[in-house]
Amino acid sequence: ELKVEQNPLFLSMQEGKNYTIYCNYSTTSDRLYWYRQDPGKSLESLFVLLSNGAVKQEGRLMASLDTKARLSTLHITAAVHDLSATYFCAVDLTSGSRLTFGEGTQLTVNP
Amino acid sequence: ETGVTQSPTHLIKTRGQQVTLRCSSQSGHNTVSWYQQALGQGPQFIFQYYREEENGRGNFPPRFSGLQFPNYSSELNVNALELDDSALYLCARRMTGESYEQYFGPGTRLTVT
């Protein structure tokens, strides 16, 4: 059974600081997704990583994938309050339509 | 804008009742998946439909069932509602072609009392 673990589960950081969220998974996969969720809202797609060594960046967020280590990271650079949200990683073992999600990392960026 | 819509937005039902949730999207989305997200947890895969047939199911009982229609719309039906069915229900569409991108609708918040 595929297991996806994120850490930390809760992260409180100051504006301007850098931090990394980690996503470990138990079964080999070449497809790793990152989503953002604001309170009471749906999931917003951030990144889809499709191969070992893949790195994608959008604004202050950068995601990477190491399939050999079964690890993905979401790095936050110079955090701003607008980044406060819950971030989920998800792994797909099939054809892109059945995702197994981690528990989520609740990020709070304080002024 | 993901092009995926869901209805209703919110719903309150009583234990033992039945509910139907709906999902629709623009053409080209021929794979639809449904997820249940309990408060404070990550979404859990319920099942997936491809070309109007169920094509994978998660660890959910048979009282969770679905349909997909030729116009790409989809339904999630839940019979004999239980209190633990209270959750946000998300519909997700996968783009056709080589992209593995999967887009989620706004969700339906179901409360069972």
Side-chain angles (χ1 to χ4, degrees):
Chain A
E1 179 188 350
L2 172 61
K3 293 186 178 180
V4 181
E5 296 181 344
Q6 290 181 235
N7 72 84
L9 299 182
F10 299 93
L11 176 56
S12 180
M13 56 191 299
Q14 286 186 314
E15 282 190 330
K17 298 294 186 180
N18 304 331
Y19 209 84
T20 300
I21 299 171
Y22 296 89
C23 174
N24 291 90
Y25 53 98
S26 60
T27 304
T28 300
S29 172
D30 290 336
R31 290 185 288 275
L32 192 291
Y33 300 73
W34 284 97
Y35 289 91
R36 167 181 172 148
Q37 187 174 42
D38 292 299
K41 304 294 185 181
S42 185
L43 298 172
E44 174 190 352
S45 178
L46 295 175
F47 303 107
V48 182
L49 303 170
L50 298 178
S51 62
N52 186 40
V55 177
K56 289 192 175 181
Q57 183 166 4
E58 180 72 34
R60 301 175 187 274
L61 300 178
M62 183 174 70
S64 66
L65 177 62
D66 182 344
T67 59
K68 295 179 181 179
R70 300 176 188 168
L71 170 68
S72 180
T73 61
L74 181 66
H75 187 71
I76 303 158
T77 302
V80 293
H81 179 70
D82 286 351
L83 290 179
S84 298
T86 299
Y87 293 84
F88 290 95
C89 66
V91 177
D92 166 47
L93 295 180
T94 56
S95 59
S97 301
R98 176 174 181 162
L99 302 182
T100 300
F101 284 81
E103 298 164 283
T105 296
Q106 186 176 320
L107 171 65
T108 303
V109 181
N110 302 304
Chain B
E1 190 64 44
T2 65
V4 182
T5 59
Q6 292 186 244
S7 62
T9 305
H10 296 88
L11 199 55
I12 300 175
K13 288 286 189 178
T14 303
R15 189 172 50 184
Q17 286 186 317
Q18 178 266 342
V19 68
T20 297
L21 311 180
R22 294 179 175 84
C23 172
S24 62
S25 73
Q26 61 195 39
S27 62
H29 295 155
N30 56 7
T31 301
V32 60
S33 302
W34 285 90
Y35 293 80
Q36 178 196 67
Q37 186 179 22
L39 196 62
Q41 298 182 21
Q44 300 288 319
F45 174 77
I46 303 175
F47 46 57
Q48 170 190 312
Y49 278 80
Y50 176 70
R51 294 184 176 179
E52 304 172 42
E53 292 192 1
E54 187 178 297
N55 186 30
R57 170 177 279 266
N59 189 26
F60 282 81
R63 60 189 184 85
F64 286 78
S65 63
L67 286 171
Q68 186 183 25
F69 302 100
N71 65 353
Y72 304 106
S73 65
S74 177
E75 289 182 353
L76 164 64
N77 299 288
V78 187
N79 295 320
L81 284 167
E82 301 177 358
L83 296 179
D84 286 348
D85 295 334
S86 295
L88 179 68
Y89 288 84
L90 297 163
C91 162
R93 294 282 181 166
R94 179 188 164 190
M95 299 294 289
T96 55
E98 296 183 356
S99 169
Y100 290 97
E101 194 75 59
Q102 191 164 177
Y103 295 100
F104 285 80
T108 294
R109 174 73 63 185
L110 172 65
T111 302
V112 182
T113 62

